Amino acid sequence: MIIKQEKIGSLIFDGNEQDVVSRSFQPDTQTNLGGAIAFDDFINHDFEDLQGLIGDDDFESIIKTGDFTRDGGFLHQYHGSDNLKLYFFQRDKTIVVFAYGEFQPTRYKLYLEGVWVVK
C-alpha cells in the first residue's frame, strides 16, 4: 500500500554522460531520503524489476500516479519525462524513480520523477 507520494518530474541533470556517472544527487523533496543518491545507486535497477519487489498493486499505483507509459517493444519498458527509460532506487520503504537516457547525440538527461513510500 502506498502511504505517501510525491510526483516531481524535475530535470536534475542535462549534459555529457561522463559528467553524470560520478555524481551524487540530494533531491529536493518533502520526503526524507536519508542522504544523497549516487548515480550508481539507481542505474542498475530497471523500473520493471520493481514490480517483483513491491507487488502488482503498488507497482500499478506508481505507474498511474507517476503517469508513466509502457512502450510497445518486446522488453515492455516504462518511460517517463522526455520518453526516457525509468530506473528506481529503494531505501527502506522509500522508492525514488528516475528517468534517464540519451536525449540527443552525446546529450543525456536525468529527471527525478517522484518519490513513493510503501507500507
PDB file of all heavy atoms in Angstrom, residues 31-44:
ATOM      1  N   THR A  31       9.950  14.420   1.259  1.00  0.00           N
ATOM      2  CA  THR A  31      10.221  13.144   1.910  1.00  0.00           C
ATOM      3  C   THR A  31      11.705  13.055   2.249  1.00  0.00           C
ATOM      4  O   THR A  31      12.549  13.324   1.402  1.00  0.00           O
ATOM      5  CB  THR A  31       9.839  11.978   0.969  1.00  0.00           C
ATOM      6  OG1 THR A  31       8.479  12.135   0.568  1.00  0.00           O
ATOM      7  CG2 THR A  31      10.020  10.634   1.649  1.00  0.00           C
ATOM      8  N   ASN A  32      12.022  12.660   3.465  1.00  0.00           N
ATOM      9  CA  ASN A  32      13.410  12.492   3.869  1.00  0.00           C
ATOM     10  C   ASN A  32      13.962  11.239   3.194  1.00  0.00           C
ATOM     11  O   ASN A  32      13.495  10.133   3.454  1.00  0.00           O
ATOM     12  CB  ASN A  32      13.509  12.375   5.384  1.00  0.00           C
ATOM     13  CG  ASN A  32      14.940  12.211   5.858  1.00  0.00           C
ATOM     14  OD1 ASN A  32      15.883  12.263   5.077  1.00  0.00           O
ATOM     15  ND2 ASN A  32      15.097  12.012   7.147  1.00  0.00           N
ATOM     16  N   LEU A  33      14.971  11.415   2.355  1.00  0.00           N
ATOM     17  CA  LEU A  33      15.545  10.290   1.627  1.00  0.00           C
ATOM     18  C   LEU A  33      16.756   9.692   2.331  1.00  0.00           C
ATOM     19  O   LEU A  33      17.336   8.725   1.854  1.00  0.00           O
ATOM     20  CB  LEU A  33      15.920  10.722   0.209  1.00  0.00           C
ATOM     21  CG  LEU A  33      14.764  11.265  -0.635  1.00  0.00           C
ATOM     22  CD1 LEU A  33      15.262  11.679  -2.011  1.00  0.00           C
ATOM     23  CD2 LEU A  33      13.662  10.237  -0.760  1.00  0.00           C
ATOM     24  N   GLY A  34      17.146  10.268   3.442  1.00  0.00           N
ATOM     25  CA  GLY A  34      18.247   9.709   4.209  1.00  0.00           C
ATOM     26  C   GLY A  34      19.611   9.952   3.608  1.00  0.00           C
ATOM     27  O   GLY A  34      20.538   9.176   3.837  1.00  0.00           O
ATOM     28  N   GLY A  35      19.761  10.989   2.818  1.00  0.00           N
ATOM     29  CA  GLY A  35      21.068  11.322   2.246  1.00  0.00           C
ATOM     30  C   GLY A  35      21.049  11.343   0.730  1.00  0.00           C
ATOM     31  O   GLY A  35      20.036  11.091   0.088  1.00  0.00           O
ATOM     32  N   ALA A  36      22.210  11.640   0.188  1.00  0.00           N
ATOM     33  CA  ALA A  36      22.362  11.758  -1.261  1.00  0.00           C
ATOM     34  C   ALA A  36      22.234  10.394  -1.939  1.00  0.00           C
ATOM     35  O   ALA A  36      22.461   9.350  -1.322  1.00  0.00           O
ATOM     36  CB  ALA A  36      23.710  12.386  -1.590  1.00  0.00           C
ATOM     37  N   ILE A  37      21.886  10.427  -3.208  1.00  0.00           N
ATOM     38  CA  ILE A  37      21.750   9.221  -4.024  1.00  0.00           C
ATOM     39  C   ILE A  37      22.777   9.312  -5.144  1.00  0.00           C
ATOM     40  O   ILE A  37      22.764  10.267  -5.925  1.00  0.00           O
ATOM     41  CB  ILE A  37      20.332   9.099  -4.609  1.00  0.00           C
ATOM     42  CG1 ILE A  37      19.302   9.037  -3.487  1.00  0.00           C
ATOM     43  CG2 ILE A  37      20.236   7.872  -5.511  1.00  0.00           C
ATOM     44  CD1 ILE A  37      17.864   9.134  -3.968  1.00  0.00           C
ATOM     45  N   ALA A  38      23.666   8.339  -5.216  1.00  0.00           N
ATOM     46  CA  ALA A  38      24.680   8.299  -6.265  1.00  0.00           C
ATOM     47  C   ALA A  38      24.076   7.727  -7.547  1.00  0.00           C
ATOM     48  O   ALA A  38      23.121   6.942  -7.506  1.00  0.00           O
ATOM     49  CB  ALA A  38      25.868   7.447  -5.818  1.00  0.00           C
ATOM     50  N   PHE A  39      24.651   8.099  -8.667  1.00  0.00           N
ATOM     51  CA  PHE A  39      24.215   7.599  -9.971  1.00  0.00           C
ATOM     52  C   PHE A  39      24.205   6.072  -9.976  1.00  0.00           C
ATOM     53  O   PHE A  39      23.263   5.447 -10.448  1.00  0.00           O
ATOM     54  CB  PHE A  39      25.140   8.152 -11.059  1.00  0.00           C
ATOM     55  CG  PHE A  39      24.757   7.766 -12.455  1.00  0.00           C
ATOM     56  CD1 PHE A  39      23.745   8.428 -13.122  1.00  0.00           C
ATOM     57  CD2 PHE A  39      25.421   6.735 -13.100  1.00  0.00           C
ATOM     58  CE1 PHE A  39      23.400   8.071 -14.416  1.00  0.00           C
ATOM     59  CE2 PHE A  39      25.074   6.374 -14.384  1.00  0.00           C
ATOM     60  CZ  PHE A  39      24.056   7.047 -15.049  1.00  0.00           C
ATOM     61  N   ASP A  40      25.248   5.470  -9.406  1.00  0.00           N
ATOM     62  CA  ASP A  40      25.347   4.003  -9.370  1.00  0.00           C
ATOM     63  C   ASP A  40      24.281   3.351  -8.506  1.00  0.00           C
ATOM     64  O   ASP A  40      24.038   2.155  -8.627  1.00  0.00           O
ATOM     65  CB  ASP A  40      26.722   3.568  -8.860  1.00  0.00           C
ATOM     66  CG  ASP A  40      27.815   3.804  -9.878  1.00  0.00           C
ATOM     67  OD1 ASP A  40      27.503   3.955 -11.083  1.00  0.00           O
ATOM     68  OD2 ASP A  40      28.998   3.842  -9.483  1.00  0.00           O
ATOM     69  N   ASP A  41      23.647   4.120  -7.623  1.00  0.00           N
ATOM     70  CA  ASP A  41      22.610   3.565  -6.748  1.00  0.00           C
ATOM     71  C   ASP A  41      21.343   3.184  -7.506  1.00  0.00           C
ATOM     72  O   ASP A  41      20.562   2.362  -7.035  1.00  0.00           O
ATOM     73  CB  ASP A  41      22.231   4.561  -5.647  1.00  0.00           C
ATOM     74  CG  ASP A  41      23.328   4.733  -4.613  1.00  0.00           C
ATOM     75  OD1 ASP A  41      24.196   3.848  -4.496  1.00  0.00           O
ATOM     76  OD2 ASP A  41      23.308   5.773  -3.918  1.00  0.00           O
ATOM     77  N   PHE A  42      21.096   3.804  -8.656  1.00  0.00           N
ATOM     78  CA  PHE A  42      19.852   3.515  -9.374  1.00  0.00           C
ATOM     79  C   PHE A  42      20.044   3.015 -10.795  1.00  0.00           C
ATOM     80  O   PHE A  42      19.163   2.363 -11.339  1.00  0.00           O
ATOM     81  CB  PHE A  42      18.923   4.743  -9.390  1.00  0.00           C
ATOM     82  CG  PHE A  42      19.455   5.921 -10.147  1.00  0.00           C
ATOM     83  CD1 PHE A  42      19.278   6.025 -11.518  1.00  0.00           C
ATOM     84  CD2 PHE A  42      20.126   6.940  -9.492  1.00  0.00           C
ATOM     85  CE1 PHE A  42      19.764   7.118 -12.216  1.00  0.00           C
ATOM     86  CE2 PHE A  42      20.608   8.032 -10.174  1.00  0.00           C
ATOM     87  CZ  PHE A  42      20.434   8.118 -11.541  1.00  0.00           C
ATOM     88  N   ILE A  43      21.157   3.270 -11.425  1.00  0.00           N
ATOM     89  CA  ILE A  43      21.295   2.987 -12.858  1.00  0.00           C
ATOM     90  C   ILE A  43      21.217   1.489 -13.177  1.00  0.00           C
ATOM     91  O   ILE A  43      20.849   1.109 -14.280  1.00  0.00           O
ATOM     92  CB  ILE A  43      22.584   3.618 -13.437  1.00  0.00           C
ATOM     93  CG1 ILE A  43      22.497   3.702 -14.961  1.00  0.00           C
ATOM     94  CG2 ILE A  43      23.817   2.858 -12.976  1.00  0.00           C
ATOM     95  CD1 ILE A  43      21.384   4.551 -15.494  1.00  0.00           C
ATOM     96  N   ASN A  44      21.486   0.635 -12.228  1.00  0.00           N
ATOM     97  CA  ASN A  44      21.398  -0.812 -12.465  1.00  0.00           C
ATOM     98  C   ASN A  44      20.079  -1.408 -12.007  1.00  0.00           C
ATOM     99  O   ASN A  44      19.951  -2.630 -11.918  1.00  0.00           O
ATOM    100  CB  ASN A  44      22.565  -1.522 -11.771  1.00  0.00           C
ATOM    101  CG  ASN A  44      23.890  -1.162 -12.393  1.00  0.00           C
ATOM    102  OD1 ASN A  44      24.001  -1.079 -13.610  1.00  0.00           O
ATOM    103  ND2 ASN A  44      24.889  -0.912 -11.572  1.00  0.00           N
TER     104      ASN A  44
END
